[in-house]
Amino acid sequence: MVTPDPAASIADLGEFGLIDRIAAIVGATAPGDDVLVGPGDDAAVLRVRKGHVVVSTDVMVEGRHFRRDWAEAADIGHRAAAQNLSDINAMGGRAQWLTVGLAAPADLPAQWALDFTRGFAEECAGVGAGLVGGDVSRADQVVVSVTVIGACSVSPVLRSGASAGDVVALHGRQGWAAGGLAVLGRGFRSPRVLVEAYRRPEPPYAAGPVAAEAGATSMIDISDGLLAEAGHLATASGVAIDVETSCFEIPEPLVAVGQALGADPLQFVLGGGDDHALLATFPSGSPLPDGWQRIGTVHATSADEGAPRVTVDGASYDGPTGWSHF
Amino acid sequence: MVTPDPAASIADLGEFGLIDRIAAIVGATAPGDDVLVGPGDDAAVLRVRKGHVVVSTDVMVEGRHFRRDWAEAADIGHRAAAQNLSDINAMGGRAQWLTVGLAAPADLPAQWALDFTRGFAEECAGVGAGLVGGDVSRADQVVVSVTVIGACSVSPVLRSGASAGDVVALHGRQGWAAGGLAVLGRGFRSPRVLVEAYRRPEPPYAAGPVAAEAGATSMIDISDGLLAEAGHLATASGVAIDVETSCFEIPEPLVAVGQALGADPLQFVLGGGDDHALLATFPSGSPLPDGWQRIGTVHATSADEGAPRVTVDGASYDGPTGWSHF
């Protein structure tokens, strides 16, 4: 592979020049005997060992999900991969293969596309997954659509299995990325630990399969906000969820950012997304697996049809609960 | 499902309103016992019966791959599905499941998104495949990224298996969509048969698996142009391909359009894409399966390194050979 001129655009490389260079990056990191044919044919050919596969697709749009001036291309690649790998984690599965559809302006620096790919492939390799295919096209802005395929060794954990009495539990950092995003939005670059949490989330990849084996009754990853995701679990399961704020210890960097920005740091925890922590429910009385922290309780839905699905300390919550894509 | 106000935009429906309506359309058409969990969870859950799966991703961008004023939303949905289903056909496989990443402006009419989905799901249902997941996001223009997963009952047919002496053969209409596109580009709406071929291609879905069973040595679908795709086969296989124009009978509508536009109709056949015909190579002397037409021969590569990989009637071709995405 020839390193492109640092000033080359993706149009300078051309479609197939770009694909060749992406494939070279992928070939250097893609693991495994189960990829019989990787990028370069009409389709990748994969050996499936398990009877059930799980598949998920996520779209990221420049200016909406990421900004090129707020993070390096490699970070954005890590984040795009993490967001998708996390969906398989939230089923209790292990991610195996990914494809990427990349639409981008012709003047996008080729180096950006390659650094993005390198970060993406590194994040995947960290969990033993590989990039096996994709497509590129010209568009007015950068749009990245990722599909991930994984396998579950036990039954996948759906959103719909929670029942009254279950314990609501959290695994992983929550609110850190939202704190980092708030800082970046004000033009700051610190606290660095929060900015890094936004740029390169660290989803608890091992926790999903462990939770599935431990009998989690429902599970979701927190992409859009803790309360918003709790709402998805509650709706899918036909239950109500109460989140207890006394269970949270607000991390020191969020306290500091809250003071600096005049915001309640609890809002980052309750409304923030992008950390890809896991939210799950477990049967009452069964011990939580390592690293899971109880944060609330599942209740039967109220007879009052207007009652909220998700409450905070037993009451309606009127702060921001998450992110809307339109 | 409530039918949206005809004037509603996707922003009016909101992310989850839009997803609910898309899921309702998908639920009405998705076939099969093998979809254990469809849209609505973190990932779809699929039962895999075969040991090998094939997966492919394609990106379509408004203004580049389609125009909303040149085709109905349902047609564009059919075409987006066809383009992807065809990639599995070109491996000799049968498509089973698809996901769609849709990025679109907030003011996109909701009806457009739903009609697109309906056309997409209909095309999939026609081959027994189903839409099992996806994502939506706001963007400046419509970008559709489709991933398709399929299975092969015999070994997948790659691009790399052609060898000298093989017969080059074609299955399906070729050049019709390019003729339709040329007509639309001039502001005309007829010949209708060509415009329809562009709007709603009819890939020969059954032909791929049959060719695989008949021992095709290499195969590709013609998305970007016959000569361009022949070039991909030649490069991947390390061979040269000669296409013989005497093998083609130019269809009457293409002759008519060539006369009207002052173009050589052979250019539509040799350079046109979008019909998703299949191009394959078969061992010399073995009978071609039904519907396949011999159009050329595989040769050893010339000792002259500058020699073209693909020739037409033994000579270099200096007309347009296909479509570049940048």
Side-chain angles (χ1 to χ4, degrees):
Chain A
M1 182 179 68
V2 178
T3 302
D5 173 345
S9 70
I10 54 174
D12 293 335
L13 292 188
E15 178 185 5
F16 297 110
L18 177 59
I19 289 175
D20 284 349
R21 285 168 175 80
I22 288 174
I25 291 171
V26 172
T29 60
D33 297 338
D34 290 344
V35 180
L36 303 178
V37 178
D41 216 296
D42 293 293
V45 182
L46 311 170
R47 179 185 289 126
V48 174
R49 296 180 187 279
K50 303 288 175 185
H52 294 177
V53 300
V54 281
V55 58
S56 176
T57 292
D58 262 343
V59 177
M60 284 175 71
V61 178
E62 178 172 16
R64 193 150 178 86
H65 299 93
F66 64 90
R67 284 177 52 161
R68 278 191 268 158
D69 57 339
W70 281 3
E72 302 292 330
D75 289 335
I76 296 169
H78 272 275
R79 201 148 74 82
Q83 167 177 337
N84 284 276
L85 297 170
S86 178
D87 282 319
I88 301 304
N89 196 29
M91 302 298 284
R94 293 183 192 282
Q96 295 181 288
W97 306 295
L98 299 96
T99 66
V100 176
L102 172 67
D107 64 358
L108 181 77
Q111 197 59 55
W112 193 95
L114 302 185
D115 289 343
F116 171 89
T117 302
R118 199 168 289 118
F120 189 97
E122 281 172 9
E123 186 75 19
C124 295
V127 300
L131 183 56
V132 297
D135 190 21
V136 296
S137 182
R138 186 192 292 199
D140 294 343
Q141 80 198 121
V142 181
V143 177
V144 180
S145 182
V146 178
T147 297
V148 57
I149 301 171
C152 292
S153 55
V154 295
S155 284
V157 183
L158 309 185
R159 298 181 178 183
S160 52
S163 58
D166 284 358
V167 168
V168 181
L170 176 73
H171 192 301
R173 297 191 307 199
Q174 169 56 21
W176 292 50
L181 185 61
V183 161
L184 287 165
R186 300 291 183 98
F188 299 115
R189 290 287 183 275
S190 68
R192 195 170 167 76
V193 65
L194 296 185
V195 170
E196 284 304 311
Y198 167 76
R199 287 182 173 153
R200 206 175 274 205
E202 295 178 4
Y205 291 123
V210 169
E213 281 167 27
T217 54
S218 73
M219 187 153 57
I220 195 169
D221 76 309
I222 303 178
S223 306
D224 291 343
L226 193 159
L227 296 182
E229 310 293 1
H232 295 319
L233 289 187
T235 301
S237 298
V239 296
I241 286 178
D242 185 53
V243 173
E244 300 162 33
T245 58
S246 62
C247 298
F248 295 98
E249 189 173 340
I250 308 293
E252 188 281 330
L254 286 182
V255 173
V257 167
Q259 283 171 346
L261 303 183
D264 179 356
L266 188 65
Q267 286 195 357
F268 297 126
V269 175
L270 296 180
D274 288 330
D275 289 304
H276 303 294
L278 288 180
L279 186 67
T281 55
F282 294 89
S284 169
S286 75
L288 296 179
D290 278 356
W292 287 87
Q293 176 194 359
R294 181 183 171 281
I295 63 159
T297 308
V298 178
H299 298 279
T301 48
S302 162
D304 171 5
E305 287 201 0
R309 285 282 190 188
V310 176
T311 50
V312 176
D313 299 332
S316 292
Y317 181 74
D318 58 4
T321 59
W323 170 260
S324 168
H325 289 275
F326 283 106
Chain B
M1 181 180 67
V2 178
T3 302
D5 173 347
S9 69
I10 54 173
D12 293 336
L13 290 189
E15 178 185 4
F16 297 110
L18 177 60
I19 289 175
D20 284 349
R21 284 167 175 81
I22 288 174
I25 292 170
V26 172
T29 60
D33 298 337
D34 290 344
V35 179
L36 303 179
V37 178
D41 215 295
D42 293 293
V45 182
L46 311 169
R47 179 185 289 125
V48 175
R49 296 180 187 279
K50 303 290 176 182
H52 295 177
V53 301
V54 282
V55 58
S56 177
T57 292
D58 263 343
V59 176
M60 285 175 71
V61 178
E62 177 172 17
R64 191 148 182 88
H65 300 93
F66 64 91
R67 284 177 53 160
R68 279 191 267 158
D69 56 337
W70 282 4
E72 302 291 331
D75 289 336
I76 296 169
H78 272 276
R79 201 148 75 80
Q83 167 177 337
N84 283 274
L85 297 170
S86 178
D87 282 320
I88 302 304
N89 196 28
M91 302 298 285
R94 294 182 192 280
Q96 295 180 287
W97 306 295
L98 299 96
T99 66
V100 177
L102 171 67
D107 64 357
L108 181 77
Q111 197 59 55
W112 193 94
L114 302 184
D115 288 344
F116 170 90
T117 303
R118 200 168 288 116
F120 189 97
E122 280 173 10
E123 185 76 19
C124 295
V127 300
L131 182 54
V132 296
D135 191 20
V136 297
S137 183
R138 186 192 291 198
D140 294 343
Q141 79 198 121
V142 181
V143 177
V144 180
S145 182
V146 178
T147 297
V148 56
I149 301 171
C152 293
S153 54
V154 297
S155 284
V157 183
L158 308 185
R159 298 179 178 185
S160 53
S163 58
D166 284 357
V167 168
V168 181
L170 176 73
H171 192 300
R173 298 192 305 201
Q174 170 54 23
W176 291 52
L181 185 60
V183 161
L184 286 166
R186 301 291 183 97
F188 299 116
R189 292 286 185 272
S190 68
R192 196 172 166 75
V193 66
L194 296 185
V195 170
E196 285 303 313
Y198 167 75
R199 287 181 173 154
R200 209 174 272 206
E202 295 178 4
Y205 292 123
V210 170
E213 280 168 28
T217 54
S218 72
M219 187 153 57
I220 195 168
D221 77 308
I222 303 178
S223 306
D224 292 343
L226 192 158
L227 296 181
E229 309 293 2
H232 295 320
L233 289 187
T235 301
S237 298
V239 297
I241 285 177
D242 186 53
V243 172
E244 298 162 33
T245 58
S246 62
C247 297
F248 295 98
E249 189 172 340
I250 308 292
E252 187 282 327
L254 286 181
V255 173
V257 167
Q259 284 172 346
L261 303 183
D264 179 356
L266 188 63
Q267 285 193 1
F268 298 125
V269 175
L270 296 180
D274 288 329
D275 289 304
H276 303 294
L278 288 179
L279 186 67
T281 56
F282 293 89
S284 169
S286 74
L288 295 179
D290 279 356
W292 287 86
Q293 175 194 1
R294 180 184 171 282
I295 62 158
T297 308
V298 178
H299 297 280
T301 48
S302 163
D304 172 5
E305 288 200 358
R309 286 281 190 189
V310 177
T311 50
V312 175
D313 299 332
S316 292
Y317 181 74
D318 59 3
T321 58
W323 170 259
S324 167
H325 289 273
F326 282 107

